[in-house]
Every structure is written in structure tokens, then in C-alpha cells.
Amino acid sequence: MIHRKRGFGLTAKTLGITLMILALIIGATLTMSRSFEQLQDQTQTLATSEMENLMISVRLVQQSESLGSLGARLASADTHSVRRRALIELTDRLNWVSRLTQQLANLSLNTELINQMKTTQDHLNSNIDELNALVSEHIDGSTTVGLLRQISALSHNNQELAGQLSILAGYFSATMRQQIANQSERLAGDIQSQQQNLLAVCVLVLIFTLLAGLYFELRVVRRILSLQRLVSSPVVNVDKFDARGGDEIASLASTVRSYVQRIQSHEAQMQQAHQEMTYLAEHDALTGLANRRHFQAAARRLLRQCTQSLCVAIGDIDHFKQVNDRYGHAEGDQVLVNLSKHLSEGLRESDVLARFGGEEFAIILPISSLEDGQAVLDKLRLQISSQHLTPDTHTDLTMSFGIALIDNSQMTCDASDQQIETLLDAALVAADQALYTAKRKGRNQVVAAAETVYAKAI
């Protein structure tokens, strides 16, 4: 249980400091709110009515500038289809210009200028109707010089009217820009004044915030960083956790220390389990001898040394099935354990002994001659037959062995894994065949393979 000292915790202290800063900010905000409301009204006016008027005038300029090119397209039309498309675009653009002009007229802005724009638009509408009729007559087949001159004159007149309309709209747009610029200057002056007042409030809040930050740096951050460094170190020393004090960080340190202790305990258990699994991955669970995987790895290492020849032997317990049938599998397993112990004691430290499965064992003997290997196995066989390894002392246990010699004098030290595996497999097959020969000849004997397994033949 975590015991706290009397006093304010971090939550209460943080809340108090936060409320003080909040009260300061709220007071300053209320003081400045009225000024900002006035600025907001001015900004709203500028952003809505003035900007809207400016955008309408800018769009009017854009639409007016396109009337000249559309009139020229109508004048140059050579088919009724092209004429109709040009007329539709031109009429649509004139309607847009008319609607935009009417929007400006509804705002009661510069009435004289708007009346000039409307007069120019009416003249354009009249000219376009006349130009459309003349172009239609020309497309139908009339090619008189007078008709072409009329079309050209009307086209040039339309371009001049479109230019005049664009200039009028541009003048109106420039007037609106000037009005917005004047209002913007007045608004900028008001904003600058309010900025100075706001800056003074911000400085006051900043000073108070820095003092609060310094307090939290000393009382909170440094303690948390110290806790973080302890947890992040490669070896966590739980005795260095500072759980003194009555605040939440002290409680956190105590909790983390408890968790670290449990994690370290679990890691120790996992490390032990990993070691046991690693051992079982290369050892037989019953006898503790190396398994086939460990045997093959050891054989590969010895063959890569390229120092001397090796003898590979396979041994099998004679009539082991009768032991299981007579005494049961539990006693049979105990016989295997006892036999493994005697086999290990009868071999040298440089020899490799493994259980391949059931009652079959494999041995690697770093011995350069087959005769020396047979002598070692014969001695081992006689020791086994002289021991009473079964529950019935009247029943002797014997083993048969097959042995093969590997001549790796021609193998290079940089031989591939596949070459070494092939050489080892060939030796195991030869030793296994020799074992079968020993079984056929009456068991309890050592039989050597007829031929040496040469590395150069692989």
C-alpha cells in the first residue's frame, strides 16, 4: 500500500497554477473584448460589402474584356453552326455583364458611371443583333463588297465598345480599390493600437507562465527524467528509485519499482527456460546425449578442420524390443539411460556420442585408422556386455556396431556445406550397412565398412 504525506499533491498544485493563469487571461480578454468588437465590426464591413463590390467590379472587367474576341469570332463565322455558337456565347457574356452592372446599380454606387456602362451595353446589344444578321446573310451566299465592309465596320465598332465598357468597369474597380485601401489604413491603425495593449498583456502572462514552468521543471520534469533514465538503463537498479514524498511522482516511482522487480523476476525465469529449450534443441530429452542435429553439426565442424580422418560408427542394442516387451517401456527407458552413461564413460572427450532414436546411437571418432576405431568400439562393446543393465541380472545386454572411415585428406577447407553433408551422409550409409552385416553375423560384434569414404569422390 502507498502511504502519502499530508499536503497538496501535483494535481492540486497544477490545478491552482492553471486557475491563476486562466484568471489572468480571462481578465485581460474581458478588458480587450470591447476594442476587438469594434475592430470586428470594421473588418466585417470591409470583408462583406466593400470586398463584394470589388469582386463584382473585377468580374465585370473580366467579362467585358472577352466581348471583343467573341464579337470577332461571330464576324469571322463561315457556317451557321459556328455563327450560332458564337452568338450564344456572346449573348451569354452580355447577360453576365448586364447582371453585374445591375448589382452595382442596386448598391447606389457612382450612378453616372453605371449609366454610361448601361448605355454602352445597349449599343453593344444593338450592334450584335445587326452583325448577326449580316453574317447570316454572308453565309447564305451573299459576297458583295458592301456587305463585307458592313461586317468589318460593325466588328471594329463592337471591339471599341467592348474596350470602352472594360475601361469603365476598370475605373469603377479602381475606385473601389482606393476606398478599400483607405478603410484598410484606418483599420491597420486601430489594430496596431490594440496590438500594443495585447503585447503588454502577453508579456505579463509570459512572465507568470515562465515562473510556473520553472516550478514544474524543478518539481516534476527533473524527477520524471530521473525515473526515465533509471528505467532506460541496461541494468535497472531498483534500489535507486526515489519514492520519497507524498505526490503522484513518488507513487509512480514506487509502482514502477514494483513492476521492474516483477519484470526482472520474469526475465530470469525466461532466461532459464530459454537455456533449457536451447539444450533440448540439441540433446535427447531421455538420455541427455546429443541428438541427430547436434551430431551432424559436430561432424561438420570436425570435417572442416581438415586435420585427420574420422571414423563414423552406428551402434544398435541387440534384441532391445524383447526388453520393452518383458519389462515395459518405463524399464526400457531406464536401460537406455544406464547404457548412455556407460557409452559416454567409455569414450574420450574428443569423441561425439549421439542418440539417433530408439535404441540406435551414433559416434564420431577422430581416429585416422579403421583398425584403431574398431579397437575402441570392441572395448566399448565388451564393457557393455559385462554390465547388468536390465532389471534381471541374468539377462545381459549387448550391442552391435558398424563403422566407416572418412578420408578427407583431399578435401579443401573451403568446401561447401552441401559437399560436407554429402560426405557425412555417405559415411553414415556405409556405417549403417556395416551394422546390418553385424546383425546378420550374429550380433554383439563390430563390423567395418568394406570401403573407405573418400572426400575426393564426393
mmCIF file of all heavy atoms in Angstrom, residues 208-234:
data_model
loop_
_atom_site.group_PDB
_atom_site.id
_atom_site.type_symbol
_atom_site.label_atom_id
_atom_site.label_comp_id
_atom_site.label_asym_id
_atom_site.label_seq_id
_atom_site.Cartn_x
_atom_site.Cartn_y
_atom_site.Cartn_z
ATOM 1 N N PHE A 208 4.467 35.105 -15.911
ATOM 2 C CA PHE A 208 3.830 34.211 -14.958
ATOM 3 C C PHE A 208 3.957 32.753 -15.416
ATOM 4 O O PHE A 208 4.193 31.846 -14.613
ATOM 5 C CB PHE A 208 2.357 34.589 -14.793
ATOM 6 C CG PHE A 208 1.691 33.928 -13.624
ATOM 7 C CD1 PHE A 208 1.801 34.458 -12.344
ATOM 8 C CD2 PHE A 208 0.965 32.763 -13.798
ATOM 9 C CE1 PHE A 208 1.202 33.838 -11.267
ATOM 10 C CE2 PHE A 208 0.360 32.137 -12.726
ATOM 11 C CZ PHE A 208 0.478 32.673 -11.449
ATOM 12 N N THR A 209 3.835 32.518 -16.729
ATOM 13 C CA THR A 209 3.954 31.160 -17.256
ATOM 14 C C THR A 209 5.367 30.621 -17.082
ATOM 15 O O THR A 209 5.570 29.443 -16.777
ATOM 16 C CB THR A 209 3.560 31.134 -18.738
ATOM 17 O OG1 THR A 209 2.235 31.657 -18.882
ATOM 18 C CG2 THR A 209 3.587 29.723 -19.293
ATOM 19 N N LEU A 210 6.381 31.481 -17.291
ATOM 20 C CA LEU A 210 7.767 31.044 -17.100
ATOM 21 C C LEU A 210 8.029 30.654 -15.656
ATOM 22 O O LEU A 210 8.730 29.670 -15.379
ATOM 23 C CB LEU A 210 8.729 32.157 -17.527
ATOM 24 C CG LEU A 210 8.811 32.427 -19.039
ATOM 25 C CD1 LEU A 210 9.714 33.633 -19.312
ATOM 26 C CD2 LEU A 210 9.327 31.193 -19.779
ATOM 27 N N LEU A 211 7.473 31.415 -14.731
ATOM 28 C CA LEU A 211 7.634 31.054 -13.321
ATOM 29 C C LEU A 211 6.975 29.710 -13.020
ATOM 30 O O LEU A 211 7.531 28.875 -12.298
ATOM 31 C CB LEU A 211 7.028 32.161 -12.439
ATOM 32 C CG LEU A 211 7.752 33.513 -12.471
ATOM 33 C CD1 LEU A 211 6.983 34.545 -11.653
ATOM 34 C CD2 LEU A 211 9.180 33.375 -11.953
ATOM 35 N N ALA A 212 5.789 29.503 -13.621
ATOM 36 C CA ALA A 212 5.124 28.208 -13.437
ATOM 37 C C ALA A 212 5.925 27.083 -14.077
ATOM 38 O O ALA A 212 6.063 25.982 -13.518
ATOM 39 C CB ALA A 212 3.717 28.258 -14.028
ATOM 40 N N GLY A 213 6.492 27.361 -15.261
ATOM 41 C CA GLY A 213 7.304 26.339 -15.917
ATOM 42 C C GLY A 213 8.543 25.996 -15.130
ATOM 43 O O GLY A 213 8.954 24.821 -15.073
ATOM 44 N N LEU A 214 9.190 27.011 -14.512
ATOM 45 C CA LEU A 214 10.363 26.749 -13.692
ATOM 46 C C LEU A 214 10.007 25.865 -12.503
ATOM 47 O O LEU A 214 10.761 24.952 -12.140
ATOM 48 C CB LEU A 214 10.953 28.083 -13.217
ATOM 49 C CG LEU A 214 12.206 27.986 -12.343
ATOM 50 C CD1 LEU A 214 13.333 27.305 -13.110
ATOM 51 C CD2 LEU A 214 12.629 29.371 -11.868
ATOM 52 N N TYR A 215 8.845 26.123 -11.921
ATOM 53 C CA TYR A 215 8.412 25.290 -10.793
ATOM 54 C C TYR A 215 8.234 23.838 -11.240
ATOM 55 O O TYR A 215 8.714 22.904 -10.581
ATOM 56 C CB TYR A 215 7.104 25.847 -10.224
ATOM 57 C CG TYR A 215 6.463 24.937 -9.213
ATOM 58 C CD1 TYR A 215 6.913 24.908 -7.895
ATOM 59 C CD2 TYR A 215 5.416 24.098 -9.582
ATOM 60 C CE1 TYR A 215 6.335 24.057 -6.967
ATOM 61 C CE2 TYR A 215 4.835 23.245 -8.657
ATOM 62 C CZ TYR A 215 5.293 23.220 -7.356
ATOM 63 O OH TYR A 215 4.726 22.377 -6.449
ATOM 64 N N PHE A 216 7.559 23.639 -12.361
ATOM 65 C CA PHE A 216 7.332 22.268 -12.837
ATOM 66 C C PHE A 216 8.632 21.607 -13.280
ATOM 67 O O PHE A 216 8.781 20.381 -13.180
ATOM 68 C CB PHE A 216 6.322 22.268 -13.983
ATOM 69 C CG PHE A 216 4.898 22.399 -13.527
ATOM 70 C CD1 PHE A 216 4.192 23.577 -13.727
ATOM 71 C CD2 PHE A 216 4.263 21.352 -12.881
ATOM 72 C CE1 PHE A 216 2.890 23.706 -13.292
ATOM 73 C CE2 PHE A 216 2.958 21.471 -12.446
ATOM 74 C CZ PHE A 216 2.257 22.650 -12.656
ATOM 75 N N GLU A 217 9.575 22.394 -13.801
ATOM 76 C CA GLU A 217 10.874 21.832 -14.186
ATOM 77 C C GLU A 217 11.590 21.251 -12.970
ATOM 78 O O GLU A 217 12.156 20.154 -13.026
ATOM 79 C CB GLU A 217 11.723 22.921 -14.840
ATOM 80 C CG GLU A 217 13.197 22.573 -15.026
ATOM 81 C CD GLU A 217 13.422 21.471 -16.044
ATOM 82 O OE1 GLU A 217 12.528 21.242 -16.880
ATOM 83 O OE2 GLU A 217 14.503 20.850 -15.998
ATOM 84 N N LEU A 218 11.554 22.002 -11.879
ATOM 85 C CA LEU A 218 12.274 21.562 -10.681
ATOM 86 C C LEU A 218 11.529 20.464 -9.936
ATOM 87 O O LEU A 218 12.151 19.522 -9.413
ATOM 88 C CB LEU A 218 12.503 22.758 -9.749
ATOM 89 C CG LEU A 218 13.381 23.885 -10.324
ATOM 90 C CD1 LEU A 218 13.443 25.053 -9.348
ATOM 91 C CD2 LEU A 218 14.787 23.365 -10.620
ATOM 92 N N ARG A 219 10.219 20.573 -9.888
ATOM 93 C CA ARG A 219 9.448 19.671 -9.034
ATOM 94 C C ARG A 219 8.852 18.480 -9.780
ATOM 95 O O ARG A 219 8.468 17.493 -9.157
ATOM 96 C CB ARG A 219 8.311 20.447 -8.358
ATOM 97 C CG ARG A 219 8.772 21.530 -7.416
ATOM 98 C CD ARG A 219 9.482 20.920 -6.222
ATOM 99 N NE ARG A 219 8.596 19.987 -5.513
ATOM 100 C CZ ARG A 219 9.008 19.075 -4.663
ATOM 101 N NH1 ARG A 219 10.300 18.957 -4.410
ATOM 102 N NH2 ARG A 219 8.140 18.283 -4.054
ATOM 103 N N VAL A 220 8.781 18.557 -11.099
ATOM 104 C CA VAL A 220 8.119 17.481 -11.846
ATOM 105 C C VAL A 220 9.042 16.884 -12.905
ATOM 106 O O VAL A 220 9.367 15.691 -12.886
ATOM 107 C CB VAL A 220 6.811 17.993 -12.505
ATOM 108 C CG1 VAL A 220 6.141 16.882 -13.317
ATOM 109 C CG2 VAL A 220 5.854 18.523 -11.445
ATOM 110 N N VAL A 221 9.489 17.719 -13.848
ATOM 111 C CA VAL A 221 10.197 17.212 -15.022
ATOM 112 C C VAL A 221 11.479 16.493 -14.638
ATOM 113 O O VAL A 221 11.760 15.383 -15.113
ATOM 114 C CB VAL A 221 10.488 18.354 -16.013
ATOM 115 C CG1 VAL A 221 11.309 17.843 -17.190
ATOM 116 C CG2 VAL A 221 9.182 18.977 -16.501
ATOM 117 N N ARG A 222 12.273 17.117 -13.782
ATOM 118 C CA ARG A 222 13.557 16.502 -13.432
ATOM 119 C C ARG A 222 13.367 15.176 -12.716
ATOM 120 O O ARG A 222 14.127 14.230 -12.922
ATOM 121 C CB ARG A 222 14.370 17.466 -12.566
ATOM 122 C CG ARG A 222 14.861 18.686 -13.333
ATOM 123 C CD ARG A 222 15.848 19.494 -12.539
ATOM 124 N NE ARG A 222 16.304 20.664 -13.286
ATOM 125 C CZ ARG A 222 17.201 21.536 -12.844
ATOM 126 N NH1 ARG A 222 17.726 21.360 -11.622
ATOM 127 N NH2 ARG A 222 17.557 22.565 -13.574
ATOM 128 N N ARG A 223 12.341 15.096 -11.886
ATOM 129 C CA ARG A 223 12.090 13.826 -11.192
ATOM 130 C C ARG A 223 11.630 12.753 -12.170
ATOM 131 O O ARG A 223 12.022 11.589 -12.066
ATOM 132 C CB ARG A 223 11.039 14.055 -10.103
ATOM 133 C CG ARG A 223 11.525 14.971 -8.982
ATOM 134 C CD ARG A 223 10.392 15.387 -8.092
ATOM 135 N NE ARG A 223 9.837 14.250 -7.376
ATOM 136 C CZ ARG A 223 8.703 14.303 -6.687
ATOM 137 N NH1 ARG A 223 8.007 15.429 -6.640
ATOM 138 N NH2 ARG A 223 8.262 13.221 -6.066
ATOM 139 N N ILE A 224 10.801 13.151 -13.151
ATOM 140 C CA ILE A 224 10.343 12.181 -14.151
ATOM 141 C C ILE A 224 11.509 11.733 -15.033
ATOM 142 O O ILE A 224 11.645 10.546 -15.371
ATOM 143 C CB ILE A 224 9.213 12.786 -14.997
ATOM 144 C CG1 ILE A 224 7.970 12.988 -14.128
ATOM 145 C CG2 ILE A 224 8.881 11.887 -16.181
ATOM 146 C CD1 ILE A 224 6.815 13.652 -14.851
ATOM 147 N N LEU A 225 12.392 12.681 -15.447
ATOM 148 C CA LEU A 225 13.546 12.315 -16.263
ATOM 149 C C LEU A 225 14.478 11.379 -15.497
ATOM 150 O O LEU A 225 15.064 10.445 -16.076
ATOM 151 C CB LEU A 225 14.308 13.567 -16.696
ATOM 152 C CG LEU A 225 13.611 14.452 -17.737
ATOM 153 C CD1 LEU A 225 14.437 15.699 -18.010
ATOM 154 C CD2 LEU A 225 13.378 13.665 -19.016
ATOM 155 N N SER A 226 14.659 11.637 -14.219
ATOM 156 C CA SER A 226 15.475 10.741 -13.408
ATOM 157 C C SER A 226 14.877 9.338 -13.384
ATOM 158 O O SER A 226 15.591 8.335 -13.517
ATOM 159 C CB SER A 226 15.589 11.298 -11.986
ATOM 160 O OG SER A 226 16.314 10.404 -11.157
ATOM 161 N N LEU A 227 13.561 9.272 -13.245
ATOM 162 C CA LEU A 227 12.882 7.973 -13.274
ATOM 163 C C LEU A 227 13.033 7.308 -14.640
ATOM 164 O O LEU A 227 13.271 6.099 -14.737
ATOM 165 C CB LEU A 227 11.398 8.181 -12.938
ATOM 166 C CG LEU A 227 10.518 6.930 -12.850
ATOM 167 C CD1 LEU A 227 11.008 5.994 -11.764
ATOM 168 C CD2 LEU A 227 9.069 7.321 -12.593
ATOM 169 N N GLN A 228 12.940 8.118 -15.707
ATOM 170 C CA GLN A 228 13.079 7.571 -17.062
ATOM 171 C C GLN A 228 14.483 7.037 -17.309
ATOM 172 O O GLN A 228 14.669 5.996 -17.929
ATOM 173 C CB GLN A 228 12.724 8.662 -18.086
ATOM 174 C CG GLN A 228 12.659 8.173 -19.525
ATOM 175 C CD GLN A 228 13.963 8.312 -20.259
ATOM 176 O OE1 GLN A 228 14.806 9.116 -19.868
ATOM 177 N NE2 GLN A 228 14.151 7.521 -21.294
ATOM 178 N N ARG A 229 15.519 7.751 -16.833
ATOM 179 C CA ARG A 229 16.900 7.280 -17.008
ATOM 180 C C ARG A 229 17.128 5.966 -16.268
ATOM 181 O O ARG A 229 17.824 5.083 -16.767
ATOM 182 C CB ARG A 229 17.879 8.353 -16.528
ATOM 183 C CG ARG A 229 18.042 9.524 -17.477
ATOM 184 C CD ARG A 229 19.241 10.374 -17.078
ATOM 185 N NE ARG A 229 19.022 11.013 -15.787
ATOM 186 C CZ ARG A 229 18.497 12.208 -15.626
ATOM 187 N NH1 ARG A 229 18.090 12.905 -16.693
ATOM 188 N NH2 ARG A 229 18.340 12.732 -14.430
ATOM 189 N N LEU A 230 16.548 5.859 -15.098
ATOM 190 C CA LEU A 230 16.699 4.603 -14.345
ATOM 191 C C LEU A 230 16.068 3.438 -15.101
ATOM 192 O O LEU A 230 16.637 2.353 -15.203
ATOM 193 C CB LEU A 230 16.053 4.748 -12.965
ATOM 194 C CG LEU A 230 16.797 5.625 -11.944
ATOM 195 C CD1 LEU A 230 15.968 5.785 -10.684
ATOM 196 C CD2 LEU A 230 18.155 5.026 -11.599
ATOM 197 N N VAL A 231 14.869 3.675 -15.661
ATOM 198 C CA VAL A 231 14.166 2.595 -16.367
ATOM 199 C C VAL A 231 14.876 2.251 -17.672
ATOM 200 O O VAL A 231 14.888 1.090 -18.108
ATOM 201 C CB VAL A 231 12.703 3.009 -16.630
ATOM 202 C CG1 VAL A 231 11.984 1.969 -17.478
ATOM 203 C CG2 VAL A 231 11.968 3.186 -15.303
ATOM 204 N N SER A 232 15.496 3.261 -18.352
ATOM 205 C CA SER A 232 16.118 3.039 -19.663
ATOM 206 C C SER A 232 17.519 2.460 -19.570
ATOM 207 O O SER A 232 18.077 2.052 -20.600
ATOM 208 C CB SER A 232 16.172 4.355 -20.443
ATOM 209 O OG SER A 232 14.881 4.882 -20.613
ATOM 210 N N SER A 233 18.128 2.439 -18.395
ATOM 211 C CA SER A 233 19.487 1.924 -18.277
ATOM 212 C C SER A 233 19.513 0.427 -18.565
ATOM 213 O O SER A 233 18.527 -0.280 -18.344
ATOM 214 C CB SER A 233 20.031 2.190 -16.866
ATOM 215 O OG SER A 233 19.213 1.538 -15.893
ATOM 216 N N PRO A 234 20.626 -0.081 -19.141
ATOM 217 C CA PRO A 234 20.695 -1.510 -19.481
ATOM 218 C C PRO A 234 20.417 -2.413 -18.289
ATOM 219 O O PRO A 234 19.768 -3.462 -18.435
ATOM 220 C CB PRO A 234 22.134 -1.678 -20.004
ATOM 221 C CG PRO A 234 22.527 -0.307 -20.456
ATOM 222 C CD PRO A 234 21.845 0.643 -19.536
#
